[in-house]
Amino acid sequence: MQLLQVALGDVDKYQVELTIEIFTEMGATWTAQDKNELAAECFERACGLIRRSSVDTQVAMASVITHTYRHQAEMYLVSGFADKALERVTEALQLLPTTTNYHEMVALQTLRMKCADALALSNEKKEAQLLAYAAAEFSKDMTLKEDVRGYGVLL
């Protein structure tokens, strides 16, 4: 955490994307340490920067924003707000450049499954499993395929 704070201090005010990434990683670190209030504050700061960015800038930063939203959704889920988490995952999936980032897609679909499970949405969970499996198959990454191998029985 100290290194992230040092990095934040060295960021130029015009390096919005880097600032968002640092706040995202700080939030993810706080979430991993079960300090969700501190995590929420970091994610709010990151999302505030995203909201203040122009539409063109947001499009250019789609992968960074997706990553931020996924980590924020993880924090919501462990905090007991599965509905907010699912909402954020849906937003992230809409932004994700689908042709290149299969690992992020599988991570988002896996998180979507957990949210659907918590909310007892069986159809949502099944769809997320199928999409995670498909993304792993398209990726040609053996490790990713191994991670979702069990979802293939749904086909």
Side-chain angles (χ1 to χ4, degrees):
M1 187 58 73
Q2 289 175 334
L3 293 175
L4 287 170
Q5 290 171 336
V6 168
L8 187 60
D10 290 338
V11 174
D12 188 338
K13 67 179 179 178
Y14 298 105
Q15 294 174 305
V16 176
E17 185 173 347
L18 183 55
T19 305
I20 292 168
E21 288 185 78
I22 291 171
F23 279 129
T24 298
E25 291 308 314
M26 289 173 80
T29 301
W30 286 128
T31 300
Q33 294 176 4
D34 200 27
K35 296 183 179 179
N36 295 329
E37 283 185 31
L38 294 170
E41 182 180 315
C42 290
F43 290 127
E44 274 309 307
R45 291 181 80 178
C47 289
L49 290 169
I50 292 167
R51 283 189 300 272
R52 288 191 297 275
S53 299
S54 69
V55 174
D56 290 339
T57 301
Q58 289 180 23
V59 169
M61 296 187 314
S63 292
V64 171
I65 295 169
T66 299
H67 186 74
T68 298
Y69 286 0
R70 177 171 57 86
H71 281 296
Q72 188 178 34
E74 289 168 345
M75 188 252 333
Y76 283 146
L77 187 61
V78 298
S79 297
F81 300 104
D83 53 338
K84 288 174 103 174
L86 184 57
E87 209 173 285
R88 195 49 107 187
V89 167
T90 302
E91 289 176 280
L93 285 167
Q94 291 170 352
L95 290 170
L96 183 66
T98 56
T99 56
T100 58
N101 203 335
Y102 296 110
H103 286 273
E104 188 72 32
M105 185 178 293
V106 170
L108 284 165
Q109 293 297 351
T110 301
L111 186 55
R112 182 178 168 208
M113 282 183 264
K114 291 176 184 176
C115 293
D117 209 20
L119 296 168
L121 302 171
S122 59
N123 288 338
E124 182 95 14
K125 181 179 178 180
K126 185 176 180 177
E127 182 179 311
Q129 287 174 319
L130 289 171
L131 292 172
Y133 182 80
E137 285 296 313
F138 280 111
S139 76
K140 308 281 191 256
D141 182 320
M142 293 310 292
T143 305
L144 199 56
K145 286 182 179 184
E146 188 64 31
D147 290 344
V148 298
R149 182 176 43 149
Y151 305 154
V153 297
L154 298 171
L155 298 174

